[in-house]
Coordinates of all heavy atoms in Angstrom, one line a residue:
R237 N 26.9 7.8 39.6 CA 27.5 7.8 40.9 C 27.1 6.6 41.7 O 26.1 6.1 41.5 CB 27.1 9.1 41.7 CG 27.5 10.4 41.1 CD 27.0 11.5 42.0 NE 27.2 12.8 41.5 CZ 27.8 13.8 42.2 NH1 28.0 13.6 43.4 NH2 28.0 14.9 41.6
P259 N 22.7 18.1 39.9 CA 22.1 18.9 39.0 C 20.7 19.5 39.5 O 20.0 18.8 40.2 CB 21.8 18.0 37.8 CG 22.7 16.8 38.0 CD 22.9 16.7 39.4
P271 N 13.7 22.2 62.1 CA 12.5 22.8 62.8 C 11.2 22.2 62.1 O 10.1 22.2 62.7 CB 12.6 24.3 62.6 CG 14.1 24.5 62.5 CD 14.6 23.3 61.8
P277 N 6.8 13.9 56.5 CA 6.4 12.6 56.7 C 7.5 11.7 57.2 O 8.6 11.9 56.9 CB 5.9 12.2 55.3 CG 5.8 13.4 54.5 CD 6.7 14.5 55.2
N285 N 14.4 15.1 37.9 CA 14.6 14.4 36.6 C 14.5 15.5 35.5 O 13.4 15.9 35.1 CB 13.5 13.4 36.4 CG 13.7 12.5 35.2 OD1 14.7 12.8 34.4 ND2 12.9 11.6 35.0

Side-chain angles (χ1 to χ4, degrees):
R237 295 181 185 227
N285 187 358

